[in-house]
Amino acid sequence: MTGYYGEHSKVFVSVDCIVFGFDQGKLKLLIGRRQMDPGRGEWSLYGGFVRQDESLEECASRTLYNLTGLQDIYMKQVGAFGAIDRDPGERVITVAYCALINVNDYDDNLRREHGVEWVSLDILPKLYSDHNIMVRKAITLLRRRVSTEPLSFNLLPELFTLTQLQHVYEAILGEEIDKRNFRKRIKTIDFIERTEYIDKLSSKRGAALYRFNKNAYSLEPTFKL
Amino acid sequence: MTGYYGEHSKVFVSVDCIVFGFDQGKLKLLIGRRQMDPGRGEWSLYGGFVRQDESLEECASRTLYNLTGLQDIYMKQVGAFGAIDRDPGERVITVAYCALINVNDYDDNLRREHGVEWVSLDILPKLYSDHNIMVRKAITLLRRRVSTEPLSFNLLPELFTLTQLQHVYEAILGEEIDKRNFRKRIKTIDFIERTEYIDKLSSKRGAALYRFNKNAYSLEPTFKL
DNA sequence: CCAAAAGTGTTCCGTCTACACCCATGG
DNA sequence: CCATGGGTGTAGACGGAACACTTTTGG
């Protein structure tokens, strides 16, 4: 049984994960030293080859799970990259996926075991192959989407202060936001709920903790920052 | 020589072209009856398998050229589609590309030879495999981009009237636009130039013909409709 | 002379932006 | 008591939306 398309050639297909986190007021990217040839030792995104029994999305989820132990993470396809010689080893077409995770959910020992690190985007080194291009495209997409989709919450704990939320937006957009205008705006969004809890860590006075109500959002999925 | 990644499996990768045109005041899609098994006879996008000696972009251009004889056409990647059983024949991962062409540039005899037709989006039939999903995604992207990039001009002849241009926007956005506001807006965009020519076909009075000045745009590539 | 499309300004309203001071508390 | 971050309102500018009539000319 040769199948329908036997006359055509097949190619390796991989998935690369562009994992963003937010820490210390900065947007961070998860990268590690490549542990295989070619390019062993170079900074690189974490990726894996697509298996015959999994879809692209499944491969992306599996790869992220292998790395972080996290499941049900927001992931979005960034695009397919298919230059002939993009990989110095053999021809590999890769599909990049962007993931947003809360750095606190990622166990730091597990992170060290995989030899990956959180690196600030403004000091991002040269990465393996065309990975820098993929990251730039992911950031562009992220910036565009962040004002029309409630994405920031994926980078924060379930409960967060408005100042934290504002810092996430500032980190993604790369510009400062007026505090009063920002809070005014947030108050009109009813699926961002103020809770009874108070955060006492970040300030002496204490700051109200807010929560993103997924259900309320899914009922009325409109968002505009 | 087995290469670096021999332990992993390869997969068929194809490119599908989502070709948009504008005619009779409507946005049209170029589709044809599939001429191979499986799915022979079903409505389908036009596509082809990626060869070992070409990049994804090259494959997309080549496929579009095979179909239309046109080169240097605006094309944009829509995304990769990789569900395991998306193709009823064998596993194929496909990368969809969206193209915008001027229907007048596509020779109608050549079109008939390939057995493809321009079909209005509002009467789009069920297409082969997951092609309908790809088309919907392409339209979503197109709608989003059309107000921040000068795309409409790809669907029009070099010289066009403002009414034609407005109709293109209306077709893409799916809503009517106020004529006075639209023209006011266009006048502030300096790379949309009024020419000395007059179109006498569409009205008795005649309408001024305009031109999109690519060079002027490339000097100052900002656009907002 | 009339049908059919081209062309043209003004007003209103809502939204975004700029901007500075008081509050509560831990140390 | 003071340093630190939390929290609040207003006025002016700007941009988008609504809206109707005159012009030209081929048939």
Side-chain angles (χ1 to χ4, degrees):
Chain A
M1 194 58 191
T2 55
Y4 289 98
Y5 311 129
E7 65 195 290
H8 301 284
S9 55
K10 295 186 174 185
V11 47
F12 291 118
V13 178
S14 69
V15 157
D16 286 307
C17 292
I18 301 161
V19 185
F20 290 111
F22 177 75
D23 193 31
Q24 311 281 340
K26 298 237 176 195
L27 201 57
K28 305 270 178 105
L29 184 66
L30 199 58
I31 56 174
R33 297 285 184 177
R34 190 170 154 94
Q35 305 191 5
M36 62 158 100
D37 287 315
R40 186 183 297 269
E42 291 183 41
W43 286 108
S44 168
L45 296 172
Y46 193 81
F49 286 90
V50 176
R51 296 181 184 163
Q52 289 179 324
D53 61 346
E54 67 185 358
S55 68
L56 288 171
E57 285 79 12
E58 282 161 359
C59 178
S61 302
R62 174 177 62 81
T63 304
L64 187 67
Y65 178 75
N66 283 345
L67 177 62
T68 63
L70 300 175
Q71 276 174 312
D72 299 321
I73 294 297
Y74 174 88
M75 295 192 86
K76 190 94 180 177
Q77 190 187 113
V78 172
F81 295 79
I84 298 170
D85 55 357
R86 54 167 293 283
D87 191 287
E90 295 185 69
R91 182 175 196 188
V92 182
I93 289 174
T94 198
V95 183
Y97 279 82
C98 161
L100 302 181
I101 75 172
N102 171 12
V103 294
N104 303 324
D105 291 345
Y106 186 11
D107 179 50
D108 225 48
N109 295 316
L110 190 55
R111 180 185 66 67
R112 257 180 251 118
E113 276 174 34
H114 277 96
V116 291
E117 296 183 24
W118 289 111
V119 176
S120 260
L121 286 171
D122 38 308
I123 55 165
L124 198 63
K126 164 82 183 78
L127 304 177
Y128 175 74
S129 178
D130 53 0
H131 288 188
N132 289 87
I133 296 172
M134 290 160 35
V135 172
R136 269 200 293 279
K137 183 158 184 195
I139 294 172
T140 303
L141 277 180
L142 187 56
R143 286 204 178 138
R144 205 173 302 187
R145 288 221 182 86
V146 80
S147 27
T148 49
E149 267 179 86
L151 299 181
S152 317
F153 310 100
N154 296 298
L155 295 166
L156 289 171
E158 186 176 348
L159 297 179
F160 51 86
T161 69
L162 291 188
T163 302
Q164 285 177 303
L165 184 63
Q166 182 177 343
H167 287 337
V168 171
Y169 277 100
E170 290 175 334
I172 294 175
L173 297 172
E175 59 188 22
E176 296 207 335
I177 300 174
D178 181 271
K179 183 167 60 156
R180 277 178 288 189
N181 292 338
F182 180 78
R183 294 166 103 98
K184 205 192 309 169
R185 191 82 205 80
I186 297 298
K187 273 192 197 141
T188 69
I189 302 175
D190 38 0
F191 53 79
I192 303 180
E193 298 170 342
R194 177 173 185 154
T195 68
E196 54 183 329
Y197 304 107
I198 304 289
D199 170 79
K200 299 290 285 179
L201 296 173
S202 61
S203 79
K204 299 171 177 174
R205 176 176 174 177
L209 285 164
Y210 286 72
R211 172 193 286 132
F212 171 60
N213 186 329
K214 269 193 183 120
N215 294 331
Y217 174 69
S218 64
L219 293 176
E220 179 75 34
T222 53
F223 182 76
K224 188 89 193 80
L225 185 81
Chain B
M1 194 59 192
T2 55
Y4 288 100
Y5 310 130
E7 66 196 290
H8 301 285
S9 55
K10 295 187 175 187
V11 47
F12 290 118
V13 177
S14 69
V15 158
D16 286 307
C17 292
I18 301 161
V19 185
F20 290 111
F22 177 76
D23 194 30
Q24 312 281 341
K26 298 238 178 191
L27 201 58
K28 304 273 178 100
L29 183 66
L30 199 58
I31 55 175
R33 297 287 185 176
R34 190 171 154 93
Q35 305 192 6
M36 61 159 98
D37 286 315
R40 187 183 294 270
E42 292 183 39
W43 286 109
S44 169
L45 296 172
Y46 193 81
F49 286 89
V50 176
R51 295 180 184 162
Q52 289 179 323
D53 61 347
E54 66 185 359
S55 69
L56 288 170
E57 285 79 10
E58 283 161 357
C59 179
S61 301
R62 175 178 61 82
T63 304
L64 187 66
Y65 177 74
N66 283 346
L67 177 63
T68 63
L70 299 176
Q71 276 174 311
D72 299 321
I73 295 296
Y74 173 88
M75 296 192 86
K76 190 93 180 176
Q77 190 186 114
V78 172
F81 295 79
I84 298 170
D85 56 356
R86 54 168 295 283
D87 190 286
E90 295 185 67
R91 182 173 197 191
V92 181
I93 290 174
T94 198
V95 182
Y97 279 82
C98 161
L100 303 181
I101 75 173
N102 170 11
V103 294
N104 303 324
D105 291 344
Y106 187 11
D107 180 51
D108 226 47
N109 295 316
L110 190 56
R111 180 184 66 66
R112 255 180 252 116
E113 276 174 35
H114 278 97
V116 291
E117 296 183 24
W118 290 111
V119 176
S120 261
L121 285 171
D122 39 309
I123 56 166
L124 198 65
K126 164 85 182 74
L127 303 177
Y128 175 75
S129 179
D130 53 1
H131 288 189
N132 289 87
I133 296 171
M134 291 161 34
V135 171
R136 269 200 293 278
K137 183 157 185 200
I139 294 172
T140 303
L141 278 180
L142 188 56
R143 285 201 178 139
R144 205 171 303 185
R145 287 220 181 87
V146 79
S147 26
T148 49
E149 268 178 85
L151 299 181
S152 316
F153 309 99
N154 296 299
L155 295 165
L156 289 171
E158 187 176 346
L159 297 179
F160 51 85
T161 69
L162 291 187
T163 303
Q164 284 177 302
L165 184 62
Q166 180 177 345
H167 287 336
V168 171
Y169 277 100
E170 289 175 336
I172 293 176
L173 296 172
E175 59 188 22
E176 297 206 337
I177 299 174
D178 180 89
K179 183 167 58 155
R180 278 177 289 187
N181 291 337
F182 181 78
R183 295 165 102 97
K184 204 189 311 167
R185 192 81 205 79
I186 297 297
K187 273 192 198 139
T188 69
I189 302 174
D190 37 1
F191 53 78
I192 303 180
E193 298 170 342
R194 177 172 183 156
T195 69
E196 55 184 328
Y197 305 107
I198 303 289
D199 171 80
K200 299 288 288 177
L201 295 172
S202 61
S203 78
K204 299 170 178 171
R205 176 175 174 178
L209 285 164
Y210 286 71
R211 170 194 286 133
F212 170 61
N213 185 331
K214 267 190 185 128
N215 294 331
Y217 174 70
S218 64
L219 292 177
E220 179 74 34
T222 54
F223 182 76
K224 188 87 194 80
L225 187 80

